[in-house]
Amino acid sequence: MDIRIRKTKESITNAFLELRSSRPLEKITVKELCERAMINKSTFYSHYTDVYDLSEQLENEVVETVLSNLIIPADFKISEFVSDLFHALHSCDRLIGILFSGDRQGRLLTVLKPRLQKMFLPYYLEHTDSPERANILLNFSINGCYYAFMENRTYGDDFVIQVLGEVNDALIQML
């Protein structure tokens, strides 16, 4: 990528994150974003259709980063998947907190979950007697653990991750 384009996109991204960290997406205008990024509106529109397009592209980049941090070991264990997932999410904590706040909070799982299901459902199938059970368990691992993690972080991330891994291991034993 041309260095000028890269610098322009970085400037737009930084300005957007500054604005987004203090207000909802629907309150951000292209005009104020361009003023803060010190670019013309035409430059912005040569890269994005609107602030929602910019936000979605940045959200997708975060999801790609999270997924790239997940390595599937040969001796896959569900508790380790939960731990690895939350450590991968934690590595993008600041951006997740900004991009997926307010009305967009549920979008993280909407974008992330289908990709996780595609990657990890085969490993869950090995631990259950039916595809339906495997899918339910994987959905619980993703949705349930995410919300339990977010609501209990005051106990310490590592402790919450450990407990969630233990819960998932217990569920596997029950099934």
Side-chain angles (χ1 to χ4, degrees):
M1 178 185 302
D2 183 302
I3 192 164
R4 292 170 295 167
I5 293 171
R6 188 171 51 82
K7 286 187 175 196
T8 298
K9 284 190 163 196
E10 284 177 10
S11 178
I12 293 169
T13 298
N14 291 335
F16 177 76
L17 292 173
E18 284 178 32
L19 291 168
R20 185 68 179 92
S21 66
S22 63
R23 66 178 79 147
L25 180 60
E26 50 279 354
K27 299 283 185 188
I28 297 173
T29 65
V30 171
K31 181 182 178 198
E32 71 179 324
L33 177 62
C34 291
E35 287 171 0
R36 187 164 295 214
M38 296 185 284
I39 60 166
N40 294 320
K41 285 170 65 173
S42 61
T43 302
F44 175 85
Y45 287 117
S46 69
H47 299 286
Y48 309 100
T49 57
D50 56 24
V51 292
Y52 293 94
D53 179 38
L54 168 59
S55 185
E56 285 181 18
Q57 287 188 37
L58 293 174
E59 291 166 359
N60 288 332
E61 286 177 23
V62 168
V63 167
E64 287 301 320
T65 299
V66 168
L67 293 172
S68 71
N69 286 323
L70 293 173
I71 298 166
I72 305 171
D75 61 336
F76 176 82
K77 293 180 180 73
I78 290 177
S79 60
E80 290 175 11
F81 160 69
V82 170
S83 177
D84 291 346
L85 174 60
F86 287 100
H87 282 100
L89 288 166
H90 187 66
S91 72
C92 298
D93 210 19
R94 181 181 160 275
L95 287 174
I96 288 171
I98 293 171
L99 294 171
F100 296 99
S101 64
D103 291 346
R104 297 185 76 80
Q105 187 174 13
R107 185 161 158 64
L108 176 60
L109 286 182
T110 300
V111 175
L112 186 60
K113 189 167 64 169
R115 303 281 303 278
L116 290 171
Q117 287 173 312
K118 185 176 181 181
M119 287 174 69
F120 291 99
L121 187 59
Y123 300 98
Y124 275 73
L125 283 168
E126 294 173 5
H127 297 283
T128 63
D129 59 354
S130 73
E132 295 82 8
R133 284 179 182 266
N135 197 45
I136 291 168
L137 181 58
L138 180 56
N139 274 301
F140 176 81
S141 292
I142 297 168
N143 291 314
C145 289
Y146 175 76
Y147 289 109
F149 176 77
M150 296 306 286
E151 291 182 19
N152 293 287
R153 292 184 85 175
T154 56
Y155 299 123
D157 290 354
D158 289 335
F159 176 71
V160 176
I161 290 168
Q162 176 191 339
V163 171
L164 293 174
E166 291 168 1
V167 167
N168 274 279
D169 284 344
L171 284 173
I172 289 291
Q173 297 306 315
M174 288 172 43
L175 294 175

